Amino acid sequence: MMLPNDLNFRFPKTTSPRLFDIQVDNAIIKLAQRKARDYRSSDNVNGEWSREGPAPKAMTDLARYWATEYDWKAAEKDLNKHKHYTTTVPGNGNYSVPIPLHFVHEKSQDKNAIPLLLIHGWSSTHHEWSKVIDNLTNSSSRGNSFHIVAPDLPGYGFTPAPTQPGQGPQEVAAAFDALMKQLGYEKYAVATTDIGWIVGMWMTVNFRHRIIAHYTDFFFALPTSDDLARYAQHQTTQEENINIESTQAWFAIHSAYATAQAQKPQMLSVALTDSPVGFAGWLWDLKYGSSDGYRYTYDELITDTLLMWIQGPIGSIRGYSLFVQPSQMQFPITDVPTGVSQWGGKNGPFSEIATFPMPPPSWIERYANLVHFKRYDFGGHWPAISQPDLWVADLRTFFELL
Amino acid sequence: MTIMPIPTPTPFKVNVSDSLLSYINGRVNTARISGGGVKLPPGREWARGIPPDTMTHLQEYWKTKYDWRAVEARINSHLRMFTIPIQHDKEELTIHFVHHRSSRDGAIPLLFQHGWPGNFLEVEKIIDSLTNPKDPSQQAYHVVAPSLPGFVFSDPSTNPNFSLLSIASINNKLMLYLGYPKYIAQGGDWGSMVTRTMAVQFPGSCVGVHVNMTVAPPPSWWRATVVFFWFILWAIWTGKDKGGKLGRMQWWMTEESGYSEIQGTKPQALSYALTDSPIGMLAWLRDKMELLIDDDYKWTEEESITWAMLYLIAGNSGHACIYTNFKGEKLKMFNDYLLNKRISKDVDFGASIFPKEVFNVPRWWAKTSIAQNIVFWREHDKGGHFASVERPDVLVKDIRDWTVAMNPGRIQELKKIGKAKL
């Protein structure tokens, strides 16, 4: 069946922020469960987890749990322990129609807390921040407390996907700025990760006057052709070498999901839309390689998958082709105070990417006003999930400097 | 010392179980297709992959009109198929193949190798005119068309180092076991690279190769300096022209190569969704099929769905794994055993160049990088990647004209072998 405009969840249409509860249609949850029950396992020759993908048995076990034990209602109740809102902001740039948004909004008890916009990235949603929100808003913690705004990127979670072409990271940046304005935050800070970092960087460029600071756990400063030339001449530092080599390993072995998503979202998403277990495997492969050995429960894996699957994965995957473009990653430098943490994967299964990406501060300084830098050799790609307290402490350390 | 007996072929008929068939049909009937809302401008509907409208149409056809049992019956009645166990590198693989003997005098043995997203059915439209030419004075062939290991009815290897070298060796053994110690070979796509590997590795057996795709590294300046400079100039002149050879190759590498990248690095991560979603498998293959044909060919719904069915039957990532030959250590090996080697003058090489193919090099480049002894080279005005499907008559004529241009001594030997009672 074709569900062109069906979000499969309750989404009150409103032009100003309105409180609501996440309520996913039972039909789509049941559909996923039936497909998990009917899951046809792939009889692959490689029976173990490897660089080539999950072990077949891991997938069958996941499918069986999904079909028989997974409880979406419990997950939904957990989501609703934070306050959810919908709103609509005007279209902008290349995207001419209004943009509906879903976001979490939690205020600190301290009226003078800093407004902080949290922007997730690929394969994640607003839910990535679930373990840090209460810590951040807590005014009795040492250090700053924050009013938290955590939207879903369009096409992810409960923010509807774009309905027209042209919604790139700059359009999303402008939409999020309009959101903060609607909430009455004239000035605010941004904390980002993964492709959310691209959006955050555009906010610092296009809305400089409104951004207090930018904190990120993923500053994606790639080696330039100059860096590679110096590397070929053995003129790079040890720190640069480690990063160049792990970056090469990433692109040689692990990055093809991004190429496939960016080039042919419609080709790929047919299978992922029709096979929720297959989609879970696609996402689990990335988690397995990049989360520093964090042991996801089946509940976490399935909930994360469903959050991307409920409205259909095409919306989020299609955005990839607009976000991950070289032209969208050339940022003019601004003076926005920037704090960068790096989290390695020494406990992860693939040593060649344990230090990916760890650009040296000197590279970051080409693109941002770096005032805080901290490198951890553990934590992985989603530190707000695997190391929530440390992530918050590091963020607070950055904000102390301002 | 014990002499291993030569394995013998067992007749094979396609017979998908009722339970698998009803499972697949059930999944098709209840498939979830989401439109995603964004309509691309007219003329650009395929820019981000196969459009949702096309998928809905194909799903509808699959539900209401597609009849696998009829397709199965047709395959079984037209193609005489076999399986045979072949040992390679401490592994025994069951290899599936089509084998048609010609009744004509002077018929010579020809191996036809398919590629990805193809299958053994790519021989369907050419096999009868190859074995039974209308004009009795034309060359006839005994045709052997194997399924690549890991594809459809041929077992996948469990050896992580399995490469085109392995496939070449297996194919060579197959021909030997069938009674063809000398033969010629034809292929496109991966088939072009497998057959070339056979010619490089077994030039005493694989004495002729014809391809309809030419993959070659640029001439190296130290081995063929003059040609290298021609290459640079040619690249500069033609580079920006998307209609030209280099432009089309570059377009493919920058805008269409994602499937090759993911299959080459993480075939298992991809496979769980493809095996579990028949229309997902269909979309994955059909997308790649669309852009590689010339504009005078249209894939029928039946062809598209049948190709997806064939990859679904085995239910694993075996087909995708061939792309691991393009990555990492296996790519280095590939360079060593094929790309940096030229087929010797003891092999008669031929090529058909179709404009909508994505890997086409000019003849002077092929002479430096692919084969010393090019006896046949034909450039066509129309045609794409799937020559045996889109333009079967043209391909058969090219094969015949290539054979005619082969070394007469070699042809005589091949005819003698072709005559031998099996």
Side-chain angles (χ1 to χ4, degrees):
Chain A
M1 74 286 257
M2 173 112 155
L3 307 164
N5 295 310
D6 223 327
L7 294 174
N8 299 311
F9 57 89
R10 209 177 129 245
F11 187 90
K13 285 232 170 72
T14 166
T15 51
S16 62
R18 178 185 321 172
L19 185 64
F20 84 118
D21 270 352
I22 303 293
Q23 261 182 56
V24 174
D25 296 348
N26 204 33
I28 194 73
I29 300 298
K30 283 269 171 277
L31 181 65
Q33 189 184 36
R34 270 205 308 279
K35 286 177 182 289
R37 182 197 65 207
D38 294 342
Y39 169 70
R40 182 186 182 213
S41 85
S42 189
D43 176 29
N44 292 326
V45 296
N46 194 343
E48 304 298 321
W49 274 91
S50 72
R51 286 169 180 80
E52 295 194 356
K57 183 166 188 307
M59 295 305 304
T60 336
D61 289 348
L62 178 73
R64 189 178 317 117
Y65 182 88
W66 195 331
T68 57
E69 296 186 51
Y70 176 75
D71 181 359
W72 165 258
K73 282 285 174 227
E76 196 175 71
K77 189 148 172 250
D78 185 63
L79 286 173
N80 281 323
K81 72 172 198 261
H82 286 126
K83 297 210 235 341
H84 295 266
Y85 297 79
T86 60
T87 191
T88 306
V89 297
N92 68 83
N94 293 320
Y95 194 78
S96 57
V97 298
I99 300 174
L101 295 173
H102 153 261
F103 59 100
V104 165
H105 187 200
E106 292 285 345
K107 291 185 89 95
S108 171
Q109 304 88 26
D110 175 3
K111 293 200 319 304
N112 299 319
I114 301 170
L116 179 63
L117 173 70
L118 303 175
I119 315 179
H120 69 86
W122 167 253
S123 87
S124 188
T125 62
H126 71 278
H127 194 50
E128 181 163 350
W129 313 117
S130 56
K131 298 186 188 181
V132 301
I133 289 179
D134 295 343
N135 190 347
L136 289 166
T137 55
N138 187 351
S139 57
S140 58
S141 299
R142 273 193 38 208
N144 293 292
S145 59
F146 303 85
H147 302 309
I148 296 300
V149 181
D152 280 322
L153 289 171
Y156 297 66
F158 304 110
T159 293
T163 54
Q164 291 186 8
Q167 195 187 95
Q170 295 193 59
E171 284 76 15
V172 174
F176 284 174
D177 177 73
L179 167 63
M180 295 306 269
K181 219 191 253 138
Q182 275 190 8
L183 294 173
Y185 298 128
E186 284 306 314
K187 290 197 194 299
Y188 56 91
V190 190
T192 66
T193 187
D194 194 74
I195 61 173
W197 166 80
I198 303 177
V199 177
M201 289 297 284
W202 283 115
M203 296 183 86
T204 65
V205 171
N206 293 341
F207 302 99
R208 167 67 194 96
H209 53 292
R210 291 167 45 72
I211 311 289
I212 298 167
H214 178 196
Y215 177 81
T216 184
D217 61 41
F218 183 82
F219 199 107
F220 201 37
L222 285 170
T224 61
S225 45
D226 272 354
D227 295 329
L228 295 174
R230 286 189 300 117
Y231 178 74
Q233 307 284 333
H234 308 286
Q235 287 167 3
T236 39
T237 65
Q238 172 73 326
E239 189 188 21
E240 289 177 308
N241 292 343
I242 288 172
N243 188 52
I244 289 171
E245 283 154 23
S246 65
T247 302
Q248 286 172 335
W250 172 259
F251 282 109
I253 305 171
H254 298 279
S255 72
Y257 76 93
T259 313
Q261 289 178 182
Q263 288 181 352
K264 288 302 176 90
Q266 286 174 193
M267 174 185 171
L268 175 64
S269 66
V270 179
L272 302 181
T273 303
D274 185 42
S275 171
V277 177
F279 188 36
W282 181 256
L283 301 179
W284 197 0
D285 180 72
L286 197 56
K287 284 181 158 74
Y288 178 78
S290 298
S291 57
D292 189 41
Y294 178 80
R295 302 199 69 92
Y296 287 90
T297 63
Y298 285 141
D299 285 328
E300 283 175 298
L301 292 168
I302 296 168
T303 300
D304 281 352
T305 303
L306 278 171
L307 288 173
M308 299 281 288
W309 192 78
I310 285 164
Q311 64 169 297
I314 179 65
S316 58
I317 294 176
R318 188 189 279 121
Y320 230 76
S321 60
L322 292 173
F323 275 55
V324 181
Q325 292 285 338
S327 64
Q328 293 306 316
M329 308 219 292
Q330 322 271 14
F331 309 103
I333 189 169
T334 72
D335 60 355
V336 168
T338 304
V340 172
S341 55
Q342 294 177 345
W343 305 81
K346 75 171 186 202
N347 302 307
F350 306 133
S351 58
E352 71 274 11
I353 52 170
T355 57
F356 172 81
M358 286 188 171
S362 59
W363 291 15
I364 298 174
E365 282 162 352
R366 298 167 181 163
Y367 309 106
N369 174 18
L370 187 64
V371 312
H372 165 82
F373 178 87
K374 181 81 176 146
R375 178 179 288 155
Y376 304 92
D377 61 3
F378 59 90
H381 190 65
W382 296 274
I385 304 247
S386 65
Q387 300 286 339
D389 295 341
L390 194 52
W391 186 90
V392 171
D394 192 80
L395 181 151
R396 284 202 160 107
T397 306
F398 165 56
F399 277 90
E400 300 284 83
L401 300 173
L402 303 176
Chain B
M1 181 182 118
T2 12
I3 311 251
M4 297 289 299
I6 291 179
T8 51
T10 308
F12 175 89
K13 288 224 182 287
V14 182
N15 186 13
V16 168
S17 71
D18 284 334
S19 67
L20 178 58
L21 186 58
S22 72
Y23 172 83
I24 291 176
N25 289 339
R27 291 305 300 257
V28 172
N29 293 345
T30 58
R32 179 189 183 204
I33 302 178
S34 83
V38 175
K39 270 205 136 24
L40 292 167
R44 303 261 306 147
E45 295 91 347
W46 283 78
R48 290 287 159 234
I50 186 165
D53 288 347
T54 308
M55 285 318 302
T56 318
H57 169 78
L58 285 169
Q59 182 201 24
E60 193 53 33
Y61 187 96
W62 200 334
K63 273 163 75 166
T64 57
K65 297 207 181 72
Y66 184 75
D67 181 354
W68 167 256
R69 291 295 181 208
V71 170
E72 200 176 60
R74 188 200 83 231
I75 296 174
N76 287 332
S77 79
H78 181 208
L79 298 177
R80 282 184 292 289
M81 297 174 287
F82 305 83
T83 57
I84 190 171
I86 298 190
Q87 292 271 349
H88 178 76
D89 221 354
K90 302 194 185 62
E91 206 178 21
E92 184 180 274
L93 298 179
T94 299
I95 299 297
H96 160 264
F97 62 100
V98 178
H99 185 196
H100 283 204
R101 289 275 295 176
S102 171
S103 57
R104 298 294 174 84
D105 217 26
I108 62 180
L110 169 73
L111 178 134
F112 172 87
Q113 183 66 81
H114 72 86
W116 192 98
N119 51 71
F120 67 95
L121 292 181
E122 287 184 78
V123 83
E124 252 192 319
K125 296 185 188 180
I126 59 173
I127 197 166
D128 294 336
S129 57
L130 285 173
T131 52
N132 259 338
K134 262 211 288 275
D135 177 348
S137 69
Q138 284 182 328
Q139 180 67 55
Y141 305 84
H142 306 302
V143 178
V144 180
S147 290
L148 288 165
F151 285 66
V152 192
F153 304 119
S154 284
D155 284 347
S157 168
T158 55
N159 186 342
N161 291 322
F162 195 78
S163 67
L164 298 198
L165 212 48
S166 325
I167 301 176
S169 174
I170 287 171
N171 278 356
N172 191 55
K173 284 184 187 144
L174 171 65
M175 293 306 271
L176 186 65
Y177 296 158
L178 294 179
Y180 306 128
K182 281 195 204 291
Y183 54 87
I184 59 178
Q186 200 289 327
D189 195 80
W190 285 102
S192 71
M193 293 177 274
V194 166
T195 53
R196 282 165 55 187
T197 306
M198 293 166 75
V200 167
Q201 297 300 318
F202 310 107
S205 295
C206 182
V207 300
V209 168
H210 175 277
V211 300
N212 48 285
M213 181 173 95
T214 48
V215 170
S220 53
W221 69 269
W222 63 87
R223 262 209 252 131
T225 314
V226 172
V227 181
F228 177 74
F229 285 124
W230 280 18
F231 168 76
I232 295 295
L233 288 174
W234 174 76
I236 294 170
W237 289 333
T238 64
K240 296 241 172 12
D241 170 19
K242 223 173 102 161
K245 293 192 177 72
L246 190 62
R248 196 155 163 84
M249 206 187 309
Q250 286 173 334
W251 159 70
W252 190 259
M253 301 299 288
T254 51
E255 291 183 41
E256 297 288 329
S257 58
Y259 79 101
S260 170
E261 293 294 309
I262 193 73
Q263 296 195 157
T265 55
K266 292 178 182 284
Q268 284 197 187
L270 175 67
S271 71
Y272 298 111
L274 296 184
T275 305
D276 186 45
S277 168
I279 62 157
M281 176 72 84
L282 173 60
W284 190 252
L285 307 186
R286 183 70 176 76
D287 183 284
K288 289 282 120 348
M289 288 154 68
E290 180 73 7
L291 296 164
L292 295 174
I293 48 178
D294 212 331
D295 53 21
D296 57 354
Y297 190 79
K298 292 253 166 302
W299 293 104
T300 63
E301 290 90 344
E302 190 180 278
E303 280 174 311
S304 310
I305 295 170
T306 299
W307 282 33
M309 281 293 293
L310 290 179
Y311 279 17
L312 283 166
I313 289 168
N316 60 44
S317 62
H319 63 94
C321 287
I322 198 169
Y323 282 85
T324 60
N325 287 296
F326 275 155
K327 307 293 289 180
E329 278 311 304
K330 284 172 86 164
L331 177 61
K332 291 204 186 89
M333 284 166 46
F334 190 18
N335 280 326
D336 285 341
Y337 65 72
L338 182 65
L339 293 181
N340 290 332
K341 290 210 150 72
R342 238 183 356 159
I343 297 172
S344 75
K345 58 178 167 41
D346 296 327
V347 176
D348 292 314
F349 182 86
S352 297
I353 309 296
F354 294 100
K356 284 301 191 324
E357 174 51 80
V358 287
F359 290 106
N360 276 334
V361 302
R363 183 173 183 154
W364 49 265
W365 180 345
K367 187 127 194 337
T368 324
S369 302
I370 297 183
Q372 289 185 42
N373 179 25
I374 301 179
V375 308
F376 175 86
W377 184 277
R378 183 169 286 158
E379 310 226 351
H380 294 272
D381 290 328
K382 281 200 90 65
H385 181 77
F386 301 96
S388 67
V389 175
E390 297 175 60
R391 316 188 104 68
D393 297 339
V394 171
L395 182 65
V396 169
K397 179 166 191 333
D398 281 6
I399 290 173
R400 295 216 152 90
D401 292 345
W402 158 59
T403 317
V404 156
M406 284 178 63
N407 175 291
R410 279 200 264 281
I411 292 288
Q412 282 318 307
E413 284 182 76
L414 288 166
K415 287 190 191 217
K416 234 198 303 212
I417 284 166
K419 214 184 281 247
K421 283 266 175 225
L422 294 188

